[in-house]
């Protein structure tokens, strides 16, 4: 009797493994579309808070970053500062470091367009949703 119990368990385990092997490709073959994203709704108080607190802060931050990036060689972190540092490193014979600084300057210059786009989106949001209270 003891042998038949183990045989039954082995058969049951083998059958369940076979079912998994057959079902796995079928489950992966089904195409699933992503669930639709529900729109975010804000209460009037939340909307007013976003308009009063977050939008001005983000606009100011974008302006400050753009001002820093486009600053002169004396402004730490500006493109001009990075290029001046690269020229200094190149004059000292540190070409690898100069190349790194040039790459950072190029990448940072590309951020100006991203900041302009973000500022435009913030301005559009403010114009559409941040109406002055009457």
């Amino acid at each position: 009797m003891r042998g038949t119990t183990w045989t039954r368990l082995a058969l049951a385990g083998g059958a369940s493994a076979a079912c998994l092997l057959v079902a796995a490709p079928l489950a992966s073959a089904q195409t699933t579309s992503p669930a639709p994203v529900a729109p975010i709704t804000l209460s009037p108080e939340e909307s007013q808070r976003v308009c009063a607190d977050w939008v001005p802060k983000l606009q100011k931050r974008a302006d400050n970053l753009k001002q820093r990036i486009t600053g002169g060689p004396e402004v730490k972190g500006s493109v001009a500062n990075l290029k001046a540092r690269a020229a200094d490193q190149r004059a000292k014979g540190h070409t690898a470091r100069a190349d790194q600084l040039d790459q950072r300057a190029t990448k940072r210059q590309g951020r100006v367009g991203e900041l302009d786009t973000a500022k435009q989106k913030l301005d559009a949001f403010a114009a559409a949703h941040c109406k002055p209270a009457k």
Side-chain angles (χ1 to χ4, degrees), residues 7-124:
T7 306
R8 287 182 186 165
L9 285 173
L11 287 173
S16 62
C19 287
L20 287 175
L21 288 174
V22 170
L26 293 176
S28 65
Q30 295 175 354
T31 58
T32 58
S33 60
V37 178
I40 298 173
T41 56
L42 298 174
S43 69
E45 295 83 21
E46 291 170 329
S47 178
Q48 190 62 30
R49 186 168 162 205
V50 167
C51 290
D53 295 337
W54 286 101
V55 172
K57 285 180 186 178
L58 291 172
Q59 288 173 331
K60 184 177 180 184
R61 185 171 182 171
D63 289 339
N64 288 344
L65 284 171
K66 186 174 178 181
Q67 191 175 25
R68 180 177 181 182
I69 289 172
T70 58
E74 70 283 350
V75 177
K76 186 176 180 181
S78 68
V79 173
N81 179 269
L82 288 170
K83 288 182 179 181
R85 288 173 52 199
D88 183 50
Q89 291 297 315
R90 196 166 276 112
K92 292 179 182 177
H94 304 293
T95 57
R97 180 67 180 144
D99 291 341
Q100 287 176 340
L101 290 168
D102 283 333
Q103 289 173 354
R104 284 177 59 189
T106 303
K107 186 175 181 180
R108 192 154 299 162
Q109 183 64 41
R111 299 284 185 201
V112 172
E114 294 173 12
L115 287 170
D116 287 339
T117 302
K119 184 84 164 76
Q120 289 172 355
K121 287 180 180 180
L122 283 169
D123 291 341

